[in-house]
Amino acid sequence: QVQFVESGGGLVQPGGSLRLSCVASGFPFWQFVMSWYRQAPGKERELVATINGALVPNYADSMKDRFTVSRDNAKNTVYLQMNSLKSDDTAVYYCNRPYALAAWGQGTQVTVSS
């Protein structure tokens, strides 16, 4: 059974940083492209960043200068380092496999507020 467990969210002031983690299980992690997504209140879920098995990242244009995606295939974990956070980054963050979507995890809440 494919499963994703996201963690690392919280309340942070504008300009602050957070590092999110997503532990995946139930499939050969290293073979799959992984992505981070987010969903803000009242908005559609959107793609944030993607990383393939060769550790090549790709980002949504609005985030590529502030966010860094990485993965540890030995730990079945994908990370999202978020810097210079803005109030617009407030959302629930999820990970998934963009080319073989599975059931969504519970996500991790990120709230950027002073």
Side-chain angles (χ1 to χ4, degrees):
Q1 180 182 1
V2 175
Q3 189 174 14
F4 305 110
V5 179
E6 300 91 350
S7 64
L11 173 63
V12 63
Q13 292 186 343
S17 298
L18 283 174
R19 188 192 193 208
L20 307 184
S21 299
C22 167
V23 179
S25 60
F27 65 98
F29 178 78
W30 65 273
Q31 291 185 352
F32 284 80
V33 176
M34 292 296 299
S35 289
W36 281 97
Y37 302 80
R38 69 184 185 185
Q39 187 166 21
K43 294 187 177 181
E44 295 288 321
R45 189 170 291 162
E46 63 174 340
L47 180 65
V48 173
T50 297
I51 186 165
N52 65 17
L55 310 184
V56 177
N58 201 2
Y59 302 94
D61 286 344
S62 63
M63 302 160 206
K64 60 183 177 181
D65 294 331
R66 301 184 295 122
F67 292 3
T68 302
V69 62
S70 60
R71 64 190 293 164
D72 185 337
N73 289 334
K75 296 182 178 179
N76 286 8
T77 301
V78 59
Y79 304 98
L80 185 68
Q81 177 68 42
M82 305 187 296
N83 299 326
S84 302
L85 284 162
K86 308 173 183 178
S87 58
D88 288 348
D89 296 318
T90 294
V92 180
Y93 285 71
Y94 304 86
C95 68
N96 212 316
R97 309 176 308 188
Y99 300 113
L101 284 174
W104 296 93
Q106 84 287 353
T108 187
Q109 174 71 50
V110 172
T111 303
V112 184
S113 175
S114 56

